[in-house]
Amino acid sequence: MSKFRTLMAAMTALGLMAGAAAAQTTMRIGLAEDPDALDPTFARTFVGRIVFAGLCDKLFDIDNDLKIVPQLATGFEWSDAGKTLTLKLRDGVTFHDGEKMDAEAVRFSLDRHLNAPRSGRRAEISVVQTITVVDPLTVRLTLSTAFAPLVAQFTDRAGMIVSPKAAIAAGDQFAARPVCAGPFRFVERIAQDRIVLEKFPQYWNVANVHVDRVIYQPIPDNSVRFANLQAGALDMIERLQPTDLPAARRNARLRVVPISELGYQGITINTGNGERAKSPIGSDARVREAFDLAIDRAVINQVVYNGEFTPTAQAVPPSSPYHNKNLKASARNLDRAKALMAQTGLRLPVVVNLTTPPNPDLRQVAEIVQAMTKEAGFDVRINVMEFASSLNAAERGEFEAYLLAWSGRPDPDGNLYVFVTKDGPQNYGKYLNPEVDRLMDEQRTIADPTQRMAVLEKISAITAADRPILYMWHRTNFLAHGQRLTGFVPVTDGLIRLQGVRLAAN
């Protein structure tokens, strides 16, 4: 009898183990591109931010009303006329390697953002002069000048805190195995194929994490990504194309989530980054204006995006209180475009090499731009390049014009400063205007919204004339997911936050 009971106990244990294994939930998310480096100090891509939402908590987050809410920090206090910021940290937070997240870790991470060679975060928080550990849960930042957007900067990668122990040990290979304090920890990455994360049992808010494993799969082809969702091979996709909306909405097994994003789609012009800036479009604002006026944004929006996006002439979207209502996209004016080209005395057609990511919709946009601008005397030659590679090429100045989107930030500084100032890390065209630099620094010091808006409007007037970026439209980011996924809360930045998400059994 004892042997029988032992056998039954063993079988029961195996059954429980099998049940536990069966209960494991894996969420598969389709991305429009493969992210670049999974290191918050150096990362640049929107899809990377989606992965970071599962991997790396930030000092603060935003809600769908663009209000700043606590995450790794529980509160903040300004003093010294806006030149000192004191952060209070959450107690009991652990990094994925078991190390404690405390004030020293925050000091280390912010110092790394500021001083690492080629840091993408330096310009975002460059006003921070000293970082003082007051006690294990308090950090004091002393600034060179008042800086209104600083706390908003900490709602993105500048606010992500990494494990000092892991970062020091890995050195410049940290991106290969990042260690943060988010709801999921890193498991593996196979370039162009998948990024795998697993639930972190010691996460400070683990009670709100209901998925055991997340697999991010880059699928640049929009139709293939959507087909995988329809077939059930993916649980969620980001950037569902507007042309697929009717089919998605007809499918009772799918849910569509529209999010008006904070960013824009534009064409960045190389005006000062090496030899390629010496092209006609890079060296003459009249050529840029003619190129811009030859484009009909409304037609592109209708043909490629079913009219779901908003044509624009600025970096700040309508959802922002800093959106300039008086700055609107010009209608196509082919006569004016031809007159400007005649003024330049250039021999036509003028060649413009346009770098384009491989996404089918962007290739279609490039082809329409090619056809439209041809009527004004341009010969657009499309150079399709994998997205992360195109960013690297842009940094080196290996482009003339670049069809590039920006996912956006809650504060307008995040949509402007890094792109139009002399030392902005994403000023790929090396646009230089000392007055823009001065005004950008000035608006950072102004807390009053009305006064700040007045300075931002001056900046817009200058950049609208110089056209270092041809702003095209503000997108609506359509996410879609299967009906067995519940609990997803959309936020205006378009990121996929996994807290609260559940997956029902198939």
Side-chain angles (χ1 to χ4, degrees), residues 372-395:
M372 287 178 169
T373 56
K374 183 178 181 179
E375 296 182 62
F378 292 94
D379 176 12
V380 171
R381 300 177 183 179
I382 300 168
N383 176 29
V384 178
M385 189 180 298
E386 187 273 327
F387 184 58
S389 300
S390 70
L391 288 175
N392 293 332
E395 279 195 335

Side-chain angles (χ1 to χ4, degrees), residues 248-496:
R249 286 169 173 159
R250 285 194 303 268
N251 190 330
R253 293 179 288 107
L254 299 181
R255 302 289 182 269
V256 176
V257 182
I259 304 172
S260 296
E261 71 170 8
L262 297 171
Y264 60 84
Q265 176 75 56
I267 299 177
T268 298
I269 308 298
N270 186 349
T271 59
N273 193 354
E275 289 297 312
R276 299 288 292 276
K278 297 176 182 178
S279 68
I281 198 168
S283 56
D284 193 331
R286 294 173 299 176
V287 177
R288 294 193 290 278
E289 183 179 357
F291 191 88
D292 196 7
L293 290 173
I295 297 171
D296 192 324
R297 290 161 171 79
V299 168
I300 295 175
N301 178 35
Q302 190 61 51
V303 171
V304 183
Y305 299 113
N306 277 13
E308 296 284 353
F309 295 170
T310 304
T312 192
Q314 60 183 295
V316 183
S319 59
S320 170
Y322 291 98
H323 180 76
N324 186 345
K325 296 179 181 178
N326 298 317
L327 183 59
K328 301 183 183 299
S330 301
R332 189 183 195 221
N333 190 335
L334 196 55
D335 290 339
R336 171 66 177 162
K338 289 178 178 178
L340 285 166
M341 293 303 290
Q343 286 178 21
T344 68
L346 292 167
R347 183 176 178 179
L348 304 183
V350 168
V351 172
V352 176
N353 290 286
L354 178 61
T355 299
T356 306
N359 311 60
D361 63 305
L362 294 179
R363 293 180 66 166
Q364 186 181 4
V365 168
E367 289 165 0
I368 296 174
V369 168
Q370 182 183 57
M372 287 178 169
T373 56
K374 183 178 181 179
E375 296 182 62
F378 292 94
D379 176 12
V380 171
R381 300 177 183 179
I382 300 168
N383 176 29
V384 178
M385 189 180 298
E386 187 273 327
F387 184 58
S389 300
S390 70
L391 288 175
N392 293 332
E395 279 195 335
R396 297 190 297 267
E398 297 172 3
F399 77 104
E400 292 177 9
Y402 184 12
L403 189 58
L404 180 64
W406 176 242
S407 56
R409 299 295 182 268
D411 188 277
D413 184 86
N415 283 11
L416 290 165
Y417 195 93
V418 297
F419 297 100
V420 299
T421 60
K422 177 183 177 182
D423 297 320
Q426 286 160 290
N427 182 2
Y428 298 124
K430 300 301 181 187
Y431 169 67
L432 176 60
N433 187 309
E435 181 64 4
V436 169
D437 285 358
R438 185 188 71 78
L439 291 170
M440 283 301 307
D441 286 338
E442 180 182 344
Q443 63 85 27
R444 286 181 148 195
T445 68
I446 301 172
D448 180 78
T450 302
Q451 295 177 23
R452 191 176 179 212
M453 184 66 186
V455 178
L456 288 168
E457 288 177 349
K458 292 179 182 178
I459 295 167
S460 295
I462 297 171
T463 56
D466 289 348
R467 286 180 166 83
I469 300 173
L470 311 182
Y471 299 107
M472 300 288 284
W473 52 79
H474 301 293
R475 300 171 296 184
T476 299
N477 189 1
F478 295 98
L479 282 74
H481 62 78
Q483 63 179 353
R484 74 188 190 101
L485 187 151
T486 59
F488 173 68
V489 177
V491 178
T492 313
D493 59 12
L495 302 185
I496 300 173

Side-chain angles (χ1 to χ4, degrees), residues 23-27 184 197-199 209-214:
Q24 292 282 311
T25 53
T26 298
M27 181 177 175
F184 293 83
L197 308 181
E198 66 181 8
K199 181 178 178 179
V209 181
H210 311 294
V211 176
D212 299 296
R213 198 171 180 88
V214 184

Side-chain angles (χ1 to χ4, degrees), residues 200-221:
F200 180 50
Q202 285 75 49
Y203 180 54
W204 64 269
N205 190 21
V206 71
N208 202 28
V209 181
H210 311 294
V211 176
D212 299 296
R213 198 171 180 88
V214 184
I215 300 176
Y216 301 90
Q217 295 180 244
I219 305 176
D221 189 298

